[in-house]
Amino acid sequence: MKFPKVYSLEEIANIINCEYVGDANFTVSGMNEIHVVESGDIVFVDHPKYYDKALNSAATIVLINKKVDCPVGKALLISDDPFRDFNKLTNNFKPFQFSNVSIATSASIGQGTIIQPNTFIGNHVIIGKNCLIHSNVSIYDYTVIGDNVMIQAGTILGADAFYYKKRAEGYDQLLSGGRVVIKDNVGIGALCTIDKGVTGDTTIGEGTKIDNQVHVGHDTVIGKNCLIASQTGIAGCVIIEDDVTIWGQVGTTSGITIGAKAVILGQTGVTKSVEGGKSYFGTPIEESREKLKQLANIKKIPEILNKLK
């Protein structure tokens, strides 16, 4: 998430009321999660296990809960609770905006686009030309939709990320300030949910078609011309490359990559990254030919046991 202007380190420290290490005028241009950070971004870390990863990331400002040596060319924000203060920054730069109309006045809708009744379109939404959006669709703030997109009834674009920190009093939600970006010629089925990024974009690539009742987690990037069948659940921060086919009731773990032109057969649990150009099946996931051989061999066990008697 980029800020509306470049801020100084001191200005950011004042927003969250914390100490800083580095030049007071050190420039800060945004904030992001560690997998998408770049120069000028703030990243937060609150566990020693991940200190080195954060300090050595592309982020040039690290919001951290301990004074450590500051890497050359970077700055630190010292906080007793980086998770809380990351939320403060999200609230400051991307606060929730109330709306009491079906289509926000700040939304932009392209020529030829049809919006069916009872659809909600939030603040600063951009919708391209010649789209068809059916009834009871909810499109949250800042969502971007390209041209020639079809969205079936009941789908939700831009729900909050499922991202929580365990506290003594319960779970604390990490606020979502990112977006959903739908490219041209995408088709999305009925009753799908596509969560926005925590600070970045959840992206559906050009020409991809998604069946009914599919969930796409925060910050996931789906490539071009993919086919995703119903009741599939894709976790956060997944990369699905171009021309991937995913059949029904597939589930994935977070942070993995599915290579281009891979085929994931129905009811597979994608427990790790997999290469493109191959077919996969089962939980834990394996190449489908090998997995089906294993299942065939399991069926032979009673016959083998009878022979051993």
Side-chain angles (χ1 to χ4, degrees), residues 10 15 24 49 52 218 249 258 262 287:
E10 186 175 40
I15 290 171
K49 181 179 177 181
D52 286 344
H218 69 90
Q249 295 186 331
I258 299 175
E287 283 192 56

Side-chain angles (χ1 to χ4, degrees), residues 3-24:
F3 299 151
K5 67 173 189 176
V6 174
Y7 288 80
S8 70
L9 181 66
E10 186 175 40
E11 287 175 314
I12 297 297
N14 287 338
I15 290 171
I16 57 177
N17 192 29
C18 78
E19 185 181 349
Y20 62 86
V21 176
D23 184 346

Side-chain angles (χ1 to χ4, degrees), residues 241-268:
E241 296 180 349
D242 297 345
D243 299 299
V244 168
T245 299
I246 300 178
W247 294 114
Q249 295 186 331
V250 167
T252 82
T253 191
S254 61
I256 61 164
T257 298
I258 299 175
K261 298 184 178 180
V263 177
I264 312 296
L265 299 183
Q267 296 192 328
T268 292

Side-chain angles (χ1 to χ4, degrees), residues 90-166:
T90 299
N91 250 334
N92 186 81
F93 292 107
K94 263 297 182 60
F96 175 77
Q97 297 180 53
F98 171 77
S99 180
N100 61 358
V101 293
S102 294
I103 300 177
T105 56
S106 58
S108 172
I109 299 173
Q111 186 175 5
T113 286
I114 297 170
I115 311 291
Q116 293 286 80
N118 299 321
T119 283
F120 170 74
I121 298 173
N123 301 289
H124 311 292
V125 168
I126 298 173
I127 302 175
K129 297 180 291 187
N130 302 315
C131 297
L132 175 55
I133 299 174
H134 285 275
S135 61
N136 300 306
V137 170
S138 292
I139 302 174
Y140 286 37
D141 294 0
Y142 294 99
T143 297
V144 177
I145 298 172
D147 299 335
N148 306 307
V149 171
M150 181 181 289
I151 303 173
Q152 302 292 341
T155 280
I156 297 170
L157 304 182
D160 287 345
F162 188 74
Y163 194 139
Y164 293 86
K165 181 179 180 66
K166 183 70 181 291

Side-chain angles (χ1 to χ4, degrees), residues 23-268:
D23 184 346
N25 294 314
F26 193 92
T27 57
V28 186
S29 55
M31 54 190 284
N32 254 319
E33 290 186 276
I34 196 161
H35 62 286
V36 288
V37 287
E38 54 190 31
S39 181
D41 283 345
I42 301 168
V43 69
F44 86 90
V45 60
D46 58 5
H47 194 290
K49 181 179 177 181
Y50 302 109
Y51 284 174
D52 286 344
K53 185 176 181 180
L55 292 165
N56 295 316
S57 71
T60 43
I61 306 94
V62 180
L63 176 59
I64 190 169
N65 59 343
K66 182 181 179 182
K67 275 192 175 181
V68 296
D69 292 336
C70 183
V72 176
K74 299 193 178 188
L76 305 178
L77 293 161
I78 312 299
S79 165
D80 64 331
D81 192 336
F83 188 100
R84 177 202 65 209
D85 287 340
F86 203 74
N87 274 346
K88 283 184 181 179
L89 291 172
T90 299
N91 250 334
N92 186 81
F93 292 107
K94 263 297 182 60
F96 175 77
Q97 297 180 53
F98 171 77
S99 180
N100 61 358
V101 293
S102 294
I103 300 177
T105 56
S106 58
S108 172
I109 299 173
Q111 186 175 5
T113 286
I114 297 170
I115 311 291
Q116 293 286 80
N118 299 321
T119 283
F120 170 74
I121 298 173
N123 301 289
H124 311 292
V125 168
I126 298 173
I127 302 175
K129 297 180 291 187
N130 302 315
C131 297
L132 175 55
I133 299 174
H134 285 275
S135 61
N136 300 306
V137 170
S138 292
I139 302 174
Y140 286 37
D141 294 0
Y142 294 99
T143 297
V144 177
I145 298 172
D147 299 335
N148 306 307
V149 171
M150 181 181 289
I151 303 173
Q152 302 292 341
T155 280
I156 297 170
L157 304 182
D160 287 345
F162 188 74
Y163 194 139
Y164 293 86
K165 181 179 180 66
K166 183 70 181 291
R167 306 279 196 185
E169 64 275 14
Y171 290 100
D172 192 5
Q173 184 177 23
L174 187 65
L175 301 180
S176 297
R179 308 184 300 174
V180 169
V181 177
I182 309 295
K183 301 291 188 177
D184 296 347
N185 304 308
V186 167
I188 301 174
L191 299 173
C192 294
T193 306
I194 301 176
D195 291 347
K196 61 188 167 189
V198 170
T199 50
D201 294 338
T202 302
T203 304
I204 312 298
E206 184 176 352
T208 284
K209 311 299 181 186
I210 298 176
D211 197 1
N212 304 329
Q213 297 179 322
V214 169
H215 171 74
V216 180
H218 69 90
D219 295 284
T220 281
V221 176
I222 297 175
K224 299 178 181 177
N225 300 316
C226 295
L227 290 174
I228 301 175
S230 66
Q231 298 180 16
T232 287
I234 300 167
C237 305
V238 171
I239 297 173
I240 298 174
E241 296 180 349
D242 297 345
D243 299 299
V244 168
T245 299
I246 300 178
W247 294 114
Q249 295 186 331
V250 167
T252 82
T253 191
S254 61
I256 61 164
T257 298
I258 299 175
K261 298 184 178 180
V263 177
I264 312 296
L265 299 183
Q267 296 192 328
T268 292

